[in-house]
Amino acid sequence: MIADIHAWLDEATGNGVLRPMDRAFARFLGTLDPNVDARVLAAAALLSRELADGHICVDIATLGEREPGLADAEAWLAGTPLVASPAGDTAAPLVLDGTLLYLRRFWRDEARVAEAILDRLTPLPDLPGLRGELDRLFASGEKSIDWQKVACAIAVRSAFAVITGGPGTGKTTTVVRLLGLLQTLAAKGGEPRLRIRLAAPTGKAAARLNASIAAQVAELDVDATVREGIPAEVTTLHRLLGSRPDTRTFHYNADNPLHLDVLVIDEASMIDLEMMAATFEALPRGARLILLGDKDQLSSVEAGAVLGDLCARAEAGHYDAGTRAWLREVAGADVEAWTDDASAWRLDQRVTMLRHSRRFGSDSGIGALATAINQGDARAVATAFDGRFADIARLGATAAGVAALAIDGRGDAPGYRHYLEWIKANRPAAGAGDDAHAAWGRGALQAYGRFQLLCATRQGDLGVAGQNERIVQGLFERQLIPAALGGWFEGRPVIVARNDYALGLMNGDIGVTLALPDGQGGNVLRVAFLVMDDTGGERLRFVTPSRLTAIETVYAMSVHKSQGSEFEHAALALPPEPSPVLTRELVYTGVTRARRHFTLLAAADILAYAVGRKTKRASGLLGRLG
C-alpha cells in the first residue's frame, strides 16, 4: 500500500523513476477524483513514464514487480471513475482493456488502427490477367522464390499490404512494379486510372524515395499511358494529410478524406501510432494502403511500433493453405516452407518479407554484420571485424579518436575533410551567375552527405553535443574552417530541429553554409537546403542564417535522426558504459545507413551488450489482429 502518494511521487521523481511531467499528470488526475486510491495515481504516473519510452500501454500484471504496493492491480483499478473498461465511460482518462492499462487517447488510436486494418484484409476478387502481367513484370527465370513477385501478388489481393525487408532487398523496385501492375490491370478492366499517392514520414526519406521511384518508373516495362499513371512525386506524410501547426489535427480526416485510390508509405518503421491512426482516418473506404519498411530498424520516436507489430511474424511467413495455393496459381511460387495452417492469422496473409539483398553480396561486411546483429549473434558480430571484410572496421572509442576519424576518415572512406575541400576547390569563378552557385550548393550538399557520424546518445563525450564541439574544434585546428565554436562559418552544416512552414523546412532537413557574392564585391553567408516543392520534387533554397531559429550544428547526428538517409561512409559511436538506449535495433540502424563503408567506434563488450538487447514496446495492436 502507498500511504502518502505525494511523497511517493516526489521520491520516484527525485531518483529518476518518474519525470516531473509524470508526477504532474498523476497529481492532476487526483484533482478529478479526490477519493481515488493512491495506487491508481501511482499506476497512472508509471504509465505516463512508459509512454515516454515508446510503450503504448502497461500490463498491470507487471506493476507489482516495479512497486510492491501496486500488486493485485485489477481489483483497485476497477474502483475509480478514472479508469473505464473499453465499453465503459468514454470520459474516463484511463482504459483497462484486459490486463493492459492505457491512456484513453492511445487506446482509441490503437483500436482504430486495428479496426481499419481488419476491414481491409478481406480478399478482393481476382483481377483478370494477373498471372500474365506478373510473369511479364518478373521475367527473371529464377528457380528460387521471387519474393518481389510474391509481394506484388499478395498486395494485389486486398486493400492492405505490408512489404518489409532490409537494405537492398528491393522494396522500391517491388512497389514500382506493383503500381505498374495495378494501373495495367485497371486499364485492361476498363476502369479509370487509379489515383496514386506516395508518402514518407520525413523530408529526407521522401526525397530519397522520390529519386529512386523516378529512375525506376522510366525503365518500367509497361505501356506509356500506364507509366504516366505512376507518380514519381513523393510527399511527407504530414504534408499529405495537411498538418495544422500547433495542433494534433489534420485537414484530411474521416469527414474530409484524401482524394486517392492507392497510398504507398515508405520508411513505415518511423510512423508512430498516432500518425498511423490519422492516416487510416483520412483514407477513403476502399482505398488501398501499402506500407514499406525495414521491420528491424529503430521504431518511431513517439509512442508505438506499428510496423514492428505488423511484421512480428513475417520471418516465418505463417501463410495458410489458401494463400499457398493462390500464390502457386498466380505467381508460380511455392511457399510451403513458410506455410502454417495451425496458427495462420488473416494479417499474415497480407505481409511479405523480402529475403534476398542485391546490395550486399557474400563479400560485404556490412551485409554480414547486419545479418548477425538481427540474429542477436554476438559471436558472429564480433568475428565480422576479424579482417575478412574490407568495408567494415571497428576502432577504439575515445572522444578524440572519434572526432579524428570523423574529420579525416579512414583509407578511401571519406570524413568531413572531403566536403570542405570540395567546397573550396569548386567555388564558382568571380562573376558566375545564379545557376553556377545553385549547382555549387547542390554539390556541397552531396559532398557533405558522403559521410556521417552517428551517435547513440546526445550527451557525453561520445554523444552528439560533445562530438559536435570536438569536430568543430578539430576542423578549426586543421585550418579547414575559419572559425571555432559559437558562430556561423562557411561549411557549417546544420539540421533543422523543428518544422518551419514559412521557410518550407522540415524537422531533419540538412543545410550547408556557403559564402555567396553580395553583388558589391564581398561575400555573404547563406545556408543551402534542398527543399520539397508542391509537386514532390526537390529544389535548392538559400536561406539567410538569421532566419533559422531552430537549428543545430550537425557533424554528429543521432541514429534516430539518420533514419531515411544513406551515406557512402557511416560511423557509429557507442558510449563506454551500458545505457538503456543501446539496443540491437539501434546498432542495426546505424550499420545499415552505410552504402560502401562502415566504421564502428565502440568497445567489444559494449557492442555485445547492445546486440543482446532487443527492443520490445508494450502494445496491444498485434493481439487485436490475431
Side-chain angles (χ1 to χ4, degrees), residues 88-260:
D89 182 6
T90 58
L94 304 177
V95 176
L96 183 60
D97 193 344
T99 65
L100 301 180
L101 182 66
Y102 295 81
L103 288 184
R104 175 166 293 279
R105 175 164 62 90
F106 290 96
W107 175 84
R108 183 184 63 241
D109 286 345
E110 185 179 275
R112 287 178 175 174
V113 168
E115 181 182 6
I117 291 174
L118 290 171
D119 284 347
R120 286 175 161 79
L121 296 184
T122 303
L124 299 173
D126 283 355
L127 298 171
L130 175 59
R131 173 67 187 261
E133 287 300 321
L134 280 170
D135 287 344
R136 187 176 63 79
L137 286 170
F138 295 91
S140 62
E142 292 186 12
K143 294 183 180 180
S144 59
I145 296 176
D146 187 338
W147 286 104
Q148 293 185 18
K149 187 177 184 181
V150 168
C152 278
I154 285 177
V156 166
R157 204 181 187 199
S158 76
F160 178 76
V162 181
I163 302 173
T164 187
T169 53
K171 296 185 292 293
T172 305
T173 300
T174 302
V175 81
V176 168
R177 294 184 185 183
L178 171 60
L179 297 179
L181 174 66
L182 290 171
Q183 289 288 29
T184 297
L185 295 175
K188 287 189 172 183
E191 299 293 329
R193 177 185 290 177
L194 296 171
R195 298 168 299 172
I196 299 172
R197 297 295 302 274
L198 309 174
T202 67
K204 288 188 297 181
R208 214 176 110 217
L209 180 62
N210 185 84
S212 181
I213 288 277
Q216 296 198 39
V217 168
E219 300 177 358
L220 189 62
D221 182 20
V222 294
D223 292 343
T225 55
V226 169
R227 192 178 296 113
E228 292 170 1
I230 304 174
E233 302 86 9
V234 186
T235 186
T236 63
L237 200 49
H238 280 84
R239 187 185 292 258
L240 176 74
L241 297 179
S243 61
R244 290 172 167 164
D246 302 320
T247 76
R248 293 181 178 274
T249 63
F250 294 91
H251 177 72
Y252 291 101
N253 50 47
D255 297 324
N256 182 34
L258 292 161
H259 306 297
L260 54 78

Side-chain angles (χ1 to χ4, degrees), residues 388-414:
R388 289 175 293 149
F389 301 112
D391 59 336
I392 63 174
R394 185 176 68 82
L395 305 178
T398 65
V402 170
L405 177 281
I407 294 171
D408 297 318
R410 60 172 181 86
D412 60 347

Side-chain angles (χ1 to χ4, degrees), residues 489-531:
F489 53 84
E490 182 169 70
R492 181 188 178 189
V494 296
I495 187 168
V496 177
R498 187 173 62 245
N499 291 348
D500 187 328
Y501 296 94
L503 293 177
L505 299 176
M506 299 294 108
N507 185 5
D509 285 350
I510 289 177
V512 172
T513 310
L514 298 172
L516 302 181
D518 62 4
Q520 300 177 356
N523 290 320
V524 61
L525 292 179
R526 295 289 183 266
V527 187
F529 290 94
L530 283 176
V531 299

